[in-house]
Amino acid sequence: MLLTGAAGFIGSRIGAQLSAAGHEVVGVDVMLPAAHGDGAQPPPDVRLLDVRDADAVAEVLRGVDVVCHQAAVVGAGVNAADAPSYGSHNDFATTVLLAQMYAAGCRRLVLASSMVVYGQGRYGCPQHGIVDPVPRRRADLDAGVFDHRCPVGDEPVDWVLVDEDAPLRPRSLYAASKVAQEHYALAWAESTGGSVVALRYHNVYGPGMPRDTPYSGVAAIFRSSLEKGDAPKVFEDGGQMRDFVHVDDIAAANVAATEATGAGAAGFDAYNVCSGRPVSILDVATALCDARGGISPAVTGQYRSGDVRHIVADPAKAAQRLGFRAAVDPGAGLREFADAPLRG
C-alpha cells in the first residue's frame, strides 16, 4: 500500500501501525518546511516525493492495491495569501493522485479529512430543536457573551453531537480544501467503482506533535507556552467544547479503514474519528498546567473573529461500521502530552 505524508506527525504513527498489522507500506513525503522545518530530510523508510508530480506518483503506485492519503498543508491559514498553498498541496495533489490511481487500476482510498468541514458545528435550542445559529454578534462578544443564539427566538443554544450527515460548511482555507478533497474523492469513487473512506479527524494531539507555529493546534500552542514558562492563554471564557483524540487512535482508525476498503465495499463514506469524550478548552489548558505544575491558565476573555464556539463529534458510526473506538482517554492522554517530546 502507498502512504502519503508518511514522515509527518500523524503519517509516521499510521505507517508504524499499518506495518505492525502486516501491511507492506510504501511511504512518501514532500517534507514541507512548515511541517518538518527547513532542510529536513525524510527518514530512511520514506521516499521524498511530491504528490503533485504525476510521473513520480505513477511510479510508486505500481503494484499498490490501496492508498492512505495523509499528505496535506494543515491549519486554518494565516491569511488569504495561503490559499494557493492549500489549493495546490491539498486539492490539486489529490486530483493527481486520483487520476494516477485510476490509471494504475488501484481502487481503494483512505483519505484524511477533518472536523473543520462541519464549520461551526451543531446546536440545539430548548424551544426550537436543532437550529443553524446566527453568527455571534460583536456586541455580545465584547460583553463576554460567547454562546450562540437561536435564529428563531434568540434563546441561548447549546452544542449537540455532530454526525456525518451534518452539512459541510467550511469556514477556513484549510476547511475549504478538505471539503474539496472529499468531493473529488466522492466523484472518483462514483466514476470508477472505487472505495473511499474519508476520516474526519477531530483535535489530534500526542507525542511528536509539531511545536507552536501559525498552523499548530491549540494543544501544541499551550505546550509551547508552558515550555517558555508562560501561562497558556485561553480565549473567550474557555468554555469552548472540543473532542481531543490521541494520534495513536488516529492511526488505529486508519488501520481499520484500510482493512474495511478491502471487504468488497464500493463508494464513498465518511466517519468521525474522535474520542467520544468532549472537553473544554479551559480543561485542556488546566490538565497540561496541572501535569507540569507551578502555573495556571490565563483566561483572557479575548476572542478571534471567525472562531468556532463548539464542535463535538458523534463517534457512533465509526464504532458500528469500522469497529473503531478510541482507546486513549483524553484526561490520561493530555497528562502524558504535558511532558511528551515535540518536533521542531
Side-chain angles (χ1 to χ4, degrees):
M1 68 172 299
L2 176 66
L3 173 62
T4 72
F9 163 53
I10 294 174
S12 59
R13 291 299 184 104
I14 293 172
Q17 286 203 26
L18 284 168
S19 296
H23 297 277
E24 184 178 347
V25 179
V26 177
V28 300
D29 202 300
V30 74
M31 304 301 292
L32 290 175
H36 301 279
D38 293 330
Q41 295 299 310
D45 59 343
V46 175
R47 174 174 172 175
L48 186 64
L49 183 143
D50 190 332
V51 181
R52 298 171 298 179
D53 183 338
D55 291 340
V57 171
E59 180 182 343
V60 295
L61 277 171
R62 291 174 187 159
V64 166
D65 60 349
V66 57
V67 174
C68 186
H69 185 35
Q70 305 295 316
V73 173
V74 300
V78 175
N79 55 47
D82 286 332
S85 179
Y86 286 100
S88 179
H89 286 286
N90 296 4
D91 302 331
F92 177 66
T94 298
T95 65
V96 170
L97 177 64
L98 293 171
Q100 295 307 315
M101 288 177 66
Y102 171 71
C106 179
R107 298 291 186 268
R108 297 165 55 199
L109 175 68
V110 177
L111 174 68
S113 187
S114 171
M115 68 172 193
V116 296
V117 300
Y118 297 124
Q120 64 184 8
R122 178 170 276 183
Y123 296 83
C125 172
Q127 298 296 320
H128 303 101
I130 299 298
V131 294
D132 184 17
V134 296
R136 296 186 292 174
R137 297 182 285 242
R138 185 172 293 275
D140 284 343
L141 295 170
D142 287 340
V145 178
F146 299 113
D147 283 309
H148 286 282
R149 295 182 179 277
C150 177
V152 180
D154 205 41
E155 300 92 347
V157 298
D158 201 1
W159 61 270
V160 296
L161 295 178
V162 178
D163 63 25
E164 291 83 353
D165 292 330
L168 306 187
R169 293 175 174 167
R171 293 166 58 91
S172 70
L173 296 173
Y174 176 57
S177 74
K178 283 295 167 184
V179 170
Q181 282 185 303
E182 286 200 16
H183 286 169
Y184 278 118
L186 185 154
W188 175 87
E190 292 193 351
S191 67
T192 65
S195 170
V196 177
V197 175
L199 299 178
R200 293 172 178 166
Y201 303 159
H202 285 252
N203 294 73
V204 187
Y205 72 97
M209 193 175 189
R211 292 181 186 278
D212 181 9
T213 77
Y215 306 94
S216 292
V218 66
I221 293 171
F222 288 166
R223 262 293 308 271
S224 294
S225 295
L226 287 167
E227 289 182 350
K228 297 171 187 172
D230 298 331
K233 292 182 179 179
V234 177
F235 284 94
E236 302 184 12
D237 59 358
Q240 308 94 306
M241 297 300 294
R242 297 291 190 271
D243 190 303
F244 281 77
V245 57
H246 195 277
V247 66
D248 286 342
D249 283 324
I250 294 287
N254 275 272
V255 174
T258 298
E259 295 173 351
T261 65
F268 175 97
D269 218 343
Y271 297 88
N272 288 325
V273 181
C274 58
S275 72
R277 285 157 278 193
V279 295
S280 73
I281 295 297
L282 179 56
D283 285 345
V284 172
T286 300
L288 295 173
C289 287
D290 287 350
R292 292 182 72 97
I295 201 164
S296 297
V299 179
T300 68
Q302 298 171 346
Y303 62 88
R304 293 175 295 192
S305 178
D307 271 3
V308 173
R309 178 60 175 170
H310 306 298
I311 181 164
V312 180
D314 187 342
K317 184 178 175 183
Q320 292 164 1
R321 299 194 188 176
L322 298 179
F324 167 75
R325 293 172 178 82
V328 181
D329 179 82
L334 288 166
R335 286 192 296 273
E336 174 205 63
F337 180 65
D339 293 300
L342 301 181
R343 359 175 128 196

